[in-house]
Amino acid sequence: MSKLISIIVPVYNAGKYLLPLIESILGQTYQNIELILVDDGSSDGSGIICDEFAKKDERVKVIHTKNSGQSSARNTGLEIATGDLIAFADHDDLLHPQMYEIMVHAMLENDMLVCICDFANVQQDQFDDVTFNQEDAETTVLTCEEWLNGFFEPTWRTPIWNKLYRKEVVNNIRFGNLHLGEDNLFSYQVFKESRNAVFVHKTLYFQRMHGDNFEYTGIKYFTDLLLAKEMILNDVKNVFPYIYDSFRILFLDECVRIFNVYVSTDIKLYNNQKEQVIKMIQKNSKSLWFSSMPIGRKLRFFKLKYKTPNLINEPISM
């Protein structure tokens, strides 16, 4: 018998976006699934939509909770998941109809604990025009070290919703209490456990980009994203010390990029976040002189170590 996939979807005021997502999951060519919809205290009728699907399809399970955030909703789903495999999706996105069929095949054929696929960011006004490529996909094996080396690339494979996990690899892993970056930390913990994954070179997940999306509204939580990456950096130092130096340089560059976002947006509004970022830079630039970073960039961080955060109101050179 084919393995059961538990697909966990946190739902919060999903509005018109929820219906296409649920239909794209229930319409998968891989039918042995349980869809766990965690209604996170929605007030717009999303919970009713979830209940209606549960009445029509026995594969759908619905849990209603008070609003506690996306991480809590995902953890709730993990607690009740009964599948051999675990997957996640966001309530406003869309799946290729063969997504799980392709990923299960790749995972079993390569005897892997984790499978990853390509994804696309699609603007709201283009979402109705999404087409699904039917061509066969190539696969490669990705090591944890290779994944970490590309960790700070904007289009890298850090999200959780473009992955399929064997249940045993996520049994003891849960999402932390962060507004942003919790998926980065979860993915790192999974990769540290599995050490490798099979990668499907095919776009199977489509992320809807719109005004309510965290890509646009989450700027005040960018420090949470950095905090998650700092936790990963600290763990890399112990578990993968041979890539710590290069990973730290990329982390510091990320700090500079986010600091500059705050400065260019509204200095006064984001003063607290700006100070948090500078403190992270100061804390993590110790002994940087002996790293492989170019001398000019070393001098930049050396100077920042002695700056008072609230006096820095100009962008930091990259």
Side-chain angles (χ1 to χ4, degrees):
M1 183 178 177
S2 60
K3 293 184 179 296
L4 176 66
I5 304 176
S6 295
I7 305 162
I8 299 167
V9 180
V11 177
Y12 178 69
N13 291 349
K16 61 185 178 181
Y17 306 128
L18 182 58
L19 187 62
L21 180 275
I22 294 178
E23 290 178 340
S24 76
I25 292 176
L26 297 180
Q28 288 286 302
T29 55
Y30 190 95
Q31 289 282 293
N32 192 20
I33 63 173
E34 66 171 4
L35 172 57
I36 302 174
L37 300 171
V38 184
D39 172 28
D40 187 34
S42 297
S43 59
D44 70 339
S46 294
I48 297 174
I49 296 175
C50 294
D51 290 335
E52 289 300 317
F53 271 100
K55 292 176 184 177
K56 294 186 292 185
D57 195 318
E58 62 182 9
R59 297 175 298 168
V60 180
K61 296 179 180 179
V62 180
I63 301 175
H64 299 281
T65 67
K66 65 178 182 179
N67 181 241
S68 301
Q70 188 169 248
S71 292
S72 177
R74 287 168 173 165
N75 287 338
T76 297
L78 283 170
E79 293 299 326
I80 70 161
T82 63
D84 309 289
L85 306 172
I86 303 292
F88 299 94
D90 283 352
H91 67 218
D92 48 358
D93 295 339
L94 197 67
L95 280 61
H96 188 294
Q98 294 177 293
M99 177 172 174
Y100 293 126
E101 178 185 357
I102 292 170
M103 295 181 77
V104 168
H105 176 76
M107 175 182 277
L108 298 180
E109 186 177 58
N110 291 274
D111 192 24
M112 290 286 169
L113 296 171
V114 181
C115 181
I116 310 172
C117 70
D118 264 331
F119 66 90
N121 295 325
V122 184
Q123 297 299 323
Q124 169 64 23
D125 60 357
Q126 300 172 3
F127 215 76
D128 291 339
D129 299 324
V130 168
T131 57
F132 303 116
N133 190 324
Q134 301 299 321
E135 295 179 3
D136 292 337
E138 294 183 0
T139 60
T140 55
V141 173
L142 186 69
T143 67
C144 187
E145 290 84 350
E146 289 171 329
W147 182 77
L148 284 169
N149 284 334
F151 187 82
F152 290 94
E153 295 177 17
T155 58
W156 195 238
R157 300 143 191 165
T158 53
I160 58 166
W161 28 252
N162 68 327
K163 297 177 179 62
L164 185 63
Y165 314 91
R166 289 187 189 264
K167 189 174 185 179
E168 58 262 35
V169 83
V170 299
N171 263 343
N172 299 315
I173 301 174
R174 292 296 182 267
F175 292 92
N177 188 27
L178 296 170
H179 291 93
L180 199 62
E182 77 288 346
D183 52 350
N184 285 204
L185 193 54
F186 185 91
S187 292
Y188 169 72
Q189 291 170 320
V190 167
F191 256 97
K192 187 174 71 169
E193 183 74 19
S194 66
R195 294 292 169 151
N196 51 31
V198 59
F199 179 65
V200 177
H201 296 268
K202 185 179 180 72
T203 301
L204 300 175
Y205 191 96
F206 300 84
Q207 184 183 30
R208 187 193 299 262
M209 310 302 292
H210 54 82
D212 299 324
N213 191 287
F214 248 167
E215 293 291 326
Y216 298 103
T217 63
I219 180 173
K220 65 180 178 180
Y221 298 123
F222 279 177
T223 48
D224 272 15
L225 177 63
L226 283 180
L227 181 60
K229 292 182 177 181
E230 186 180 46
M231 286 189 265
I232 295 170
L233 173 68
N234 292 335
D235 199 69
V236 164
K237 186 175 184 179
N238 296 319
V239 182
F240 306 102
Y242 43 91
I243 64 171
Y244 171 73
D245 188 37
S246 59
F247 197 84
R248 178 169 62 141
I249 291 171
L250 293 171
F251 171 77
L252 289 169
D253 284 340
E254 180 90 333
C255 288
V256 170
R257 184 184 69 80
I258 287 178
F259 176 84
N260 287 343
V261 169
Y262 284 131
V263 169
S264 64
T265 304
D266 189 318
I267 294 172
K268 293 181 180 179
L269 181 62
Y270 295 114
N271 263 350
N272 288 337
Q273 288 91 335
K274 184 181 63 173
E275 291 185 17
Q276 288 181 56
V277 177
I278 290 298
K279 288 177 181 178
M280 284 188 190
I281 290 174
Q282 292 173 333
K283 180 170 63 173
N284 291 286
S285 58
K286 295 176 180 177
S287 304
L288 193 64
W289 201 257
F290 301 101
S291 74
S292 59
M293 179 180 281
I295 186 68
R297 290 162 70 199
K298 287 180 183 178
L299 288 171
R300 174 188 65 180
F301 287 110
F302 183 78
K303 293 175 182 177
L304 286 174
K305 287 175 64 176
Y306 300 100
K307 291 283 188 181
T308 303
N310 59 16
L311 294 180
I312 302 179
N313 294 322
E314 297 295 329
I316 302 171
S317 60
M318 289 298 292

